[in-house]
């Protein structure tokens, strides 16, 4: 059985402290042993050897992962939460999450939100406190209160995946990596004559909140010796070498007052004899693991501790090396054989694969209703500013049969000319931008980490712990944005935002030379895509402005179009509106309507008078922003056409931000311009939320407004 499959199965089985049924069952099944059982506090155990053996040795790893727990659902449908285990608040802002709701037949997708940075400028160097963040499901309050209950668990959205070489990344590797080592050790020992010994394999619960599962299980089993397996600190930026060990450098053998010195030394000798790389992990007090509890069970248990080096502990971006796990398993098996006076058989090569995963991959998605034929595809396509080729090809495949003429501008924008029933009286341009915010690689460190800079405006607080993809087309590599483990933070660091220059992307490379084979400075980086519709809202990466592009595609495909119109799908909207600037020059419109996403601030913590627009109250009409004063007559028409169409419409109640209109309305001699925007929560984050009703209303409004503008002779204001 391949270690990658074991890890994917274990990490894909969700289980926070006190709710570990899925991963415990998965671990028991993976051992391939019969008669596994679940104990009163949820831990799972199974044994090797004779039931009446004189002595018992315990091999233990805990199964719970850190997460969140819902504490209340407020009157607006937002979920308030608390930590369940040692969650790192620095990875929470903007984090896509799964809510395991009592009243839902499958986990609900949400995003952790807080007051937007443009409304909280005094605190952008701080991470919001847990009590100031909420989970946004994009559901009406009545629906949210119906399906979600206090006590429901919440975990980050993540996808267990292999990185470069033998590196592996996932949430929950603390401590599914240890569980994988116990599973492997069980398989290695199945053909060993254990003599007077019995080996008890324990997959324990609730380690992250006190170790109750291991303590009670060890008491019941009355064991003589124990080896606990957990994770230790891997070397990474910001972590001192003396308290860490290289990921890929072998096993960490614990040494502490609570640990048995004889067992510890024998493990070191066996590692030397069998050429297993290791490092002494010396602690002056408690270990902070289940070994502390097991060692003091009943009259005392001789206990040792092995750890798998791990980077970015307690985040969705944890990274381990699969060979370290194999070495840990081998060392445990060798120790058991040493105690039994047996030899460890050479493992046979096998093509054996584990049965179907006991839990679906945490990143797997299934679409619900599709409002626009191309909206899901557009949101999943990668296209950071200056790298929009994939998005452009997708849009062209959708509109080519509906355009009289298509031009690709020198910068890469699409100008599509749609013929209507009538010649336009005003030359009208409808505009949306194709690009998304993202990152760009700036440097590769000697250790193989990738440094980066933002492309577009991104709140640095949404970056730590995120899963990303680096590169172009098929030449990509997965990675995670790593950070110093919460356990090693100095006083005051926990609530402090991490500057971009201190963050890095971990692709699992061993050094600069290996990293340079798959990544170079200038490579684009995107957040990994999550897309879901629930009937009330759509949640996805890159809604700004793929939702606008999808609306324009929808209008392009309408057979009953009244007037000749130019459709522009622009590049580089997030880095200066360069595509719209040059596109408008080439298209020479007299009027323009820009279709955008604008930040909805109707979230807990934002004062009512600062909520410039609200989800579910219709498309947004802007009178002014930082770059544009919009045409007064066109903004008036927008509300009139919304009323005629029977759809809601709202003002943007403030002057903030800007969009492609700022480049279009000053093109050549000037262009009369309006903006119709979709309210979007968390638009420049790994996952935004747009309302279905707003999206449908915007489509109806845009068609009516375009017809009125194009059918009316252009005049001055």
């Amino acid at each position: 059985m391949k270690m990658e499959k074991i890890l994917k199965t274990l990490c894909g089985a969700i289980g926070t402290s006190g709710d570990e049924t899925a991963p415990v069952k998965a671990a028991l099944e993976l051992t391939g042993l019969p008669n596994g059982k679940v104990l009163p506090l949820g831990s799972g155990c199974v044994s090797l050897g004779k039931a009446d053996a004189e002595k018992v040795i315990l091999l233990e790893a805990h199964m719970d992962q850190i997460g969140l727990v819902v504490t209340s659902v407020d009157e607006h449908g937002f979920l308030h939460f608390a930590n369940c285990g040692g969650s790192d608040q620095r990875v929470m802002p903007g984090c896509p999450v799964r809510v395991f709701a009592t009243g839902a037949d499958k986990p609900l997708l949400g995003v952790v939100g807080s007051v937007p940075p443009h409304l909280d400028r005094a605190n952008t160097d701080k991470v919001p406190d847990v009590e100031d963040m909420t989970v946004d499901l994009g559901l009406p309050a009545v629906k949210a209160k119906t399906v979600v209950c206090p006590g429901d668990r919440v975990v980050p959205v993540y996808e267990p995946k292999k990185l470069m070489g033998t590196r592996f990344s996932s949430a929950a590797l603390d401590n599914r990596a240890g569980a994988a080592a116990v599973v492997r050790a069980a398989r290695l020992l199945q053909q060993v004559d254990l003599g007077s010994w019995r080996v008890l394999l324990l997959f324990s619960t609730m380690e992250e909140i006190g170790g109750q599962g291991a303590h009670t299980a060890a008491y019941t089993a009355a064991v003589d010796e124990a080896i606990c397996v957990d994770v230790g600190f891997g070397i990474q930026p910001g972590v001192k070498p003396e308290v860490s060990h290289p990921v890929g450098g072998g096993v960490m053998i614990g040494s502490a007052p609570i640990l048995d010195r004889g067992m510890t030394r024998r493990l070191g000798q066996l590692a030397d004899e069998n050429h297993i790389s290791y490092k002494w992990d010396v602690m002056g007090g408690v270990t902070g693991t289940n070994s502390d509890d097991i060692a003091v069970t009943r009259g005392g248990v001789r206990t040792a501790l092995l750890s798998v080096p791990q980077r970015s502990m307690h985040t969705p971006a944890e990274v381990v090396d699969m060979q370290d796990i194999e070495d840990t398993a081998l060392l445990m098996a060798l120790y058991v054989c040493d105690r039994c006076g047996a030899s460890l058989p050479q493992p046979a090569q096998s093509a054996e694969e584990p049965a179907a995963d006991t839990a679906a991959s945490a990143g797997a998605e299934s679409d619900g209703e599709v409002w626009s034929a191309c909206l899901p595809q557009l949101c999943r396509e990668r296209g950071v500013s200056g790298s929009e080729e994939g998005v452009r090809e997708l849009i062209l495949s959708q509109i080519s049969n509906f355009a009289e003429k298509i031009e690709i501008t020198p910068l890469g924008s699409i100008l599509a000319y749609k013929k209507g029933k009538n010649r336009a009286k005003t030359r009208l341009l409808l505009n949306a931008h194709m690009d998304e915010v993202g990152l760009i690689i700036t440097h590769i460190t000697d250790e193989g980490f990738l440094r980066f800079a933002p492309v577009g405006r991104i709140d640095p607080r949404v970056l730590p712990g995120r899963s990303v993809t680096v590169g172009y087309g098929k030449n990509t590599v997965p990675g995670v944005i790593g950070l110093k483990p919460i356990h090693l933070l100095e006083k005051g660091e926990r609530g402090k935002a991490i500057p971009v220059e201190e963050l890095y992307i971990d692709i699992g490379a061993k050094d600069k030379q290996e990293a340079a084979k798959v990544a170079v400075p200038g490579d684009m980086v995107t957040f990994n895509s999550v897309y879901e519709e629930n009937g009330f809202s759509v949640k996805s990466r890159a809604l700004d402005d793929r939702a606008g592009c999808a609306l324009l595609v929808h209008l392009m495909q309408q057979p009953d179009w009244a007037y000749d119109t130019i459709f522009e799908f622009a590049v580089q909207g997030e880095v200066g509106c360069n595509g719209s600037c040059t596109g408008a020059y080439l298209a020479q419109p007299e009027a323009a309507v820009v279709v955008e996403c604008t930040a909805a601030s109707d979230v807990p913590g934002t004062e009512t008078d600062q909520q410039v627009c609200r989800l579910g109250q219709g498309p947004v009409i802007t009178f002014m922003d930082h770059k544009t004063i919009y045409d007064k007559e066109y903004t008036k028409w927008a509300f009139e056409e919304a009323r005629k169409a029977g759809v809601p419409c709202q003002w943007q109640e403030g002057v903030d931000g800007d969009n492609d209109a700022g480049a279009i309305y000053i093109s050549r001699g000037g262009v009369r311009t309006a903006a119709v925007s979709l309210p979007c929560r968390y638009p420049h984050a790994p996952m935004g939320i747009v309302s279905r009703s707003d999206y449908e209303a915007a489509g109806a409004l845009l068609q009516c407004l375009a017809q009125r503008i194009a059918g009316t002779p252009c005049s001055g204001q």
Side-chain angles (χ1 to χ4, degrees), residues 55-379:
K55 295 184 178 181
V56 180
I57 183 168
L58 177 71
L59 306 183
E60 182 272 343
H62 74 84
M63 299 308 297
D64 53 323
Q65 64 191 98
I66 58 163
L68 310 172
V69 60
V70 176
T71 56
S72 65
V73 184
D74 69 23
E75 68 274 20
H76 302 294
F78 293 96
L79 313 185
H80 297 262
F81 59 83
N83 279 341
C84 185
S87 298
D88 189 339
Q89 71 187 70
R90 299 173 302 162
V91 306
M92 293 182 190
C95 183
V97 294
R98 295 279 183 204
V99 179
F100 289 78
T102 300
D105 57 3
K106 64 178 183 178
L108 304 177
L109 181 65
V111 60
V112 178
S114 59
V115 178
H118 66 282
L119 298 178
D120 195 26
R121 291 190 175 94
N123 294 309
T124 53
D125 62 339
K126 294 174 57 182
V127 178
D129 294 330
V130 170
E131 55 267 28
D132 293 329
M133 292 184 275
T134 57
V135 173
D136 188 345
L137 295 174
L139 291 175
V142 172
K143 179 69 173 176
K145 285 177 174 287
T146 300
V147 297
V148 182
C149 297
D152 286 346
R153 299 300 204 273
V154 182
V155 298
V157 172
Y158 62 93
E159 182 180 1
K161 60 189 175 183
K162 185 175 179 292
L163 301 180
M164 293 187 69
T166 52
R167 309 298 169 88
F168 189 88
S169 175
S170 179
L173 283 168
D174 178 6
N175 183 36
R176 308 293 164 75
V182 173
V183 166
R184 176 67 86 209
R187 289 185 166 270
L188 292 173
L189 291 168
Q190 287 184 31
Q191 304 304 318
V192 174
D193 181 1
L194 300 174
S196 61
W197 285 81
R198 180 165 61 93
V199 178
L200 180 66
L201 310 164
L202 174 64
F203 303 98
S204 67
T205 58
M206 296 184 280
E207 190 271 353
E208 298 292 356
I209 57 171
Q212 298 91 333
H215 177 78
T216 54
Y219 177 91
T220 301
V223 300
D224 298 282
E225 295 186 9
I227 299 178
C228 297
V229 191
D230 211 315
V231 293
F233 301 118
I235 290 179
Q236 64 184 91
V239 176
K240 296 177 180 178
E242 55 267 29
V243 297
S244 58
H245 188 50
V247 170
V251 190
M252 301 172 76
I253 302 177
S255 177
I258 195 69
L259 300 176
D260 185 84
R261 184 176 178 83
M263 289 182 69
T264 297
R265 290 301 174 192
R266 185 56 184 150
L267 284 165
Q269 291 167 1
L270 289 168
D272 287 332
E273 292 168 9
N274 291 274
H275 310 290
I276 297 173
S277 297
Y278 69 96
K279 175 186 177 179
W280 294 111
D281 187 16
V282 181
M283 296 153 277
V286 297
T287 69
T289 71
N290 278 338
S291 58
D292 298 333
D293 293 300
I294 292 173
V296 296
T297 301
R298 291 180 178 262
V301 177
R302 298 179 62 224
T303 304
L305 173 65
L306 301 179
S307 298
V308 177
Q310 181 184 89
R311 294 200 285 255
S312 301
M313 195 182 297
H314 280 204
T315 77
E318 294 172 340
V319 175
V320 297
D321 192 296
M322 290 184 283
Q323 188 57 53
D324 292 341
I325 301 174
E326 297 280 8
D327 288 345
T328 303
L330 177 59
L331 185 54
M332 278 193 290
L334 288 167
Y335 181 86
V336 171
C337 289
D338 185 64
R339 297 297 284 149
C340 300
S343 298
L344 187 66
Q346 291 297 315
Q349 295 297 316
S350 172
E352 176 188 13
E353 292 294 343
D357 289 353
T358 54
S361 167
E365 299 295 334
S366 60
D367 295 334
E369 302 173 57
V370 179
W371 310 339
S372 167
C374 64
L375 180 58
Q377 295 167 276
L378 283 172
C379 287

Side-chain angles (χ1 to χ4, degrees), residues 598-648:
T598 191
S601 306
D602 55 335
V603 297
T606 305
E607 298 295 334
T608 303
D609 60 357
Q610 291 184 310
Q611 295 178 11
V612 296
C613 65
R614 297 161 186 86
L615 225 63
Q617 295 189 16
V620 179
I621 308 302
T622 309
F623 58 86
M624 177 180 173
D625 61 31
H626 287 165
K627 286 188 177 180
T628 309
I629 298 176
Y630 293 92
D631 187 274
K632 293 180 180 179
E633 188 171 30
Y634 288 175
T635 55
K636 175 186 173 184
W637 288 1
F639 282 95
E640 291 176 354
E641 294 304 317
R643 282 193 294 271
K644 291 178 187 177
V647 297

Side-chain angles (χ1 to χ4, degrees), residues 17-69:
S17 302
D19 192 22
E20 304 95 335
T21 301
V24 165
K25 288 185 176 179
L28 290 174
E29 291 176 11
L30 286 168
T31 64
L33 296 169
N35 305 319
K37 62 180 181 179
V38 177
L39 303 176
L41 294 191
S43 298
C45 67
V46 66
S47 63
L48 286 162
K50 298 175 183 178
D52 59 351
E54 295 177 13
K55 295 184 178 181
V56 180
I57 183 168
L58 177 71
L59 306 183
E60 182 272 343
H62 74 84
M63 299 308 297
D64 53 323
Q65 64 191 98
I66 58 163
L68 310 172
V69 60

Side-chain angles (χ1 to χ4, degrees), residues 362-443:
E365 299 295 334
S366 60
D367 295 334
E369 302 173 57
V370 179
W371 310 339
S372 167
C374 64
L375 180 58
Q377 295 167 276
L378 283 172
C379 287
R380 291 191 180 103
E381 188 62 55
R382 303 175 65 235
V384 174
S385 306
S387 305
E388 303 93 341
E389 299 87 352
V391 182
R392 181 170 62 243
E393 291 306 310
L394 178 55
I395 290 173
L396 288 172
S397 72
Q398 296 286 324
I399 67 172
S400 295
N401 294 334
F402 302 92
E404 182 182 23
K405 181 178 70 169
I406 291 178
E407 296 177 6
I408 306 300
T409 72
L411 293 190
S413 299
I414 299 171
L415 290 175
Y417 297 80
K418 181 174 177 63
K419 189 169 180 61
K421 293 180 180 179
N422 307 290
R423 183 167 185 154
K425 297 176 182 178
T426 291
R427 188 175 172 88
L428 173 65
L429 176 74
L430 298 181
N431 165 282
H433 68 85
M434 296 187 289
D435 56 317
E436 63 185 292
V437 297
L439 311 170
I440 190 169
I441 302 303
T442 58
H443 174 68

Side-chain angles (χ1 to χ4, degrees), residues 443-455:
H443 174 68
I444 303 175
T445 70
D446 291 341
E447 298 78 17
F449 299 115
L450 311 182
R451 299 290 187 180
F452 58 84
V455 178

